[in-house]
Amino acid sequence: MAAHTPRTAGGASGARDLRETAHAAQVRELTAAGALDDPHWRAAFAAVPRHVFVPYFWTGRGAGHERLWSEDPDPERRARWLRGVYADAPLATRLRDGELLSSSSQPSLMARMLEALGVRDGDNVLEIGAGTGYNAALLCHRLGADRVTTVDLDEEITESARSHLAALGYRPAVVTGDGARGCPSRAPFDRIMVTCTLPRVPYAWLGQCRPGARILSPLSTGLIALTVRDSAPGFAEGRFLHTPAYFVPLRGATAAPPDRDASPHGVPYDLVDNERFRFLLVLTAGVLHPREALDLWRREDRPARERFGVTVTPEGQWSWLDDPRGPYTWPLGP
């Protein structure tokens, strides 16, 4: 993102102008990149400034973390903060003992997920993972705050998100609780959008959905789009989008720990970081040995994400290649 920040600016008015300029440039760049084809979401991104939701973020790793914030007395550091906020990149917004707890997702990925969610006027949406509140604000602009519920396990995160949203006049339901359990008191939902990665799909969500509802969630290193069937209670099925996605893991009582082995034992070095193969490796971890996954991947002509899908039923859930009742199926999660 090439938001050029001059060294001098005339006080509060100048700072506001810089932020507005950087915000407008981001919307233009996302539109030019094809991430904002839907005019409703283009209007939402233009109306909701990201800097309100990211007053500070962390850069670096391990002991080298550095905090950049909007009120830093050093103008160069403030400029770095502004460039970071309006870059098309994820930002670490909350750390605890060096562990990433919450982040602001990459704006282009957020835009593509919102478009893939397929919301319609009047839809009720549940967001799992409140984060900074930025995504909830975009949903509020599109649907109205009374149609939006966002849930997070951490009270500090929900309180911060609530404050950010209120600063722009948005007051959706911001709930502190285990996202894996959904939000029964606000159900039923037409759409569920998840902003944290899962080992499997919490079954409680299906019971809180209207027939025909869509659930869009990170899984493995991709995004699964499930449709809740009206002909079979408690049944949902769908395919992965082509988009890669990496999110902070879901936390909570019913969120399984990532204890399945996805290390690439016996895999050629040049494939260790292959995006398509890594997706299959993580999806089938604990079920297929990495060498078996590699043999399948080669035999099936290096399948892209969209050839894979997931089925959720009262009896269990599984991922599959090409056909949910075909020869290649694998149970999901423990």
Side-chain angles (χ1 to χ4, degrees):
M1 158 73 187
H4 177 65
T5 305
R7 290 177 178 269
T8 60
S13 176
R16 183 173 60 251
D17 290 345
L18 290 174
R19 293 174 186 183
E20 290 177 354
T21 298
H23 179 199
Q26 181 196 56
V27 174
R28 288 195 301 271
E29 290 179 5
L30 293 177
T31 303
L36 288 176
D37 290 338
D38 186 323
H40 291 101
W41 292 121
R42 191 159 59 248
F45 272 82
V48 180
R50 192 186 191 195
H51 69 261
V52 172
F53 297 88
V54 191
Y56 62 86
F57 63 90
W58 300 87
T59 65
R61 295 182 179 181
H65 281 114
E66 178 187 20
R67 184 175 182 264
L68 297 174
W69 64 302
S70 60
E71 301 301 324
D72 196 301
D74 182 342
E76 290 298 330
R77 289 170 59 84
R78 286 201 309 274
R80 288 174 57 204
W81 164 79
L82 184 61
R83 286 195 297 270
V85 164
Y86 283 107
D88 186 26
L91 300 174
T93 56
R94 195 168 295 270
L95 301 174
R96 185 175 295 161
D97 298 325
E99 177 189 0
L100 178 61
L101 297 184
S102 185
S103 64
S104 178
S105 301
Q106 181 181 12
S108 61
L109 178 58
M110 292 175 63
R112 289 187 170 96
M113 288 180 68
L114 288 165
E115 291 202 354
L117 193 62
V119 298
R120 303 155 301 186
D121 292 345
D123 277 353
N124 289 320
V125 177
L126 171 64
E127 179 192 29
I128 306 296
T132 66
Y134 181 39
N135 196 67
L138 295 166
L139 286 164
C140 287
H141 185 276
R142 171 67 179 85
L143 297 169
D146 59 325
R147 298 287 183 180
V148 179
T149 302
T150 184
V151 178
D152 205 286
L153 185 67
D154 194 313
E155 187 172 3
E156 290 183 5
I157 290 175
T158 53
E159 184 58 34
S160 177
R162 191 178 292 113
S163 175
H164 296 156
L165 285 156
L168 292 181
Y170 298 123
R171 290 177 172 79
V174 182
V175 179
T176 303
D178 186 350
R181 302 185 189 279
C183 189
S185 64
R186 296 276 296 176
F189 300 104
D190 302 285
R191 298 289 186 268
I192 296 181
M193 182 175 181
V194 187
T195 58
C196 43
T197 195
L198 307 173
R200 60 185 290 148
V201 180
Y203 193 70
W205 294 349
L206 272 65
Q208 297 172 35
C209 285
R210 288 194 175 96
R214 170 169 276 207
I215 299 172
L216 183 66
S217 173
L219 187 69
S220 180
T221 65
L223 294 168
I224 186 67
L226 298 169
T227 299
V228 178
R229 299 285 178 86
D230 53 4
S231 57
F235 182 96
E237 192 168 79
R239 290 183 179 271
F240 283 88
L241 308 183
H242 74 278
T243 308
Y246 298 86
F247 284 84
V248 175
L250 174 72
R251 296 178 296 139
T254 57
D259 59 354
R260 299 194 300 169
D261 183 17
S263 56
H265 303 298
V267 173
Y269 181 78
D270 63 332
L271 289 180
V272 169
D273 293 324
N274 182 286
E275 244 290 314
R276 285 188 179 184
F277 179 63
R278 170 57 64 174
F279 168 77
L280 175 61
L281 197 65
V282 176
L283 187 65
T284 61
V287 181
L288 294 182
H289 186 278
R291 285 295 315 185
E292 293 179 292
L294 179 58
D295 290 343
L296 169 63
W297 189 69
R298 286 172 166 167
R299 185 168 60 249
E300 291 298 317
D301 196 26
R302 296 164 170 75
R305 281 183 181 81
E306 51 267 42
R307 285 181 58 188
F308 293 87
V310 166
T311 299
V312 180
T313 74
E315 291 73 38
Q317 52 187 278
W318 61 93
S319 59
W320 38 267
L321 173 64
D322 293 332
D323 184 348
R325 285 156 290 280
Y328 299 125
T329 63
W330 309 277
L332 272 181

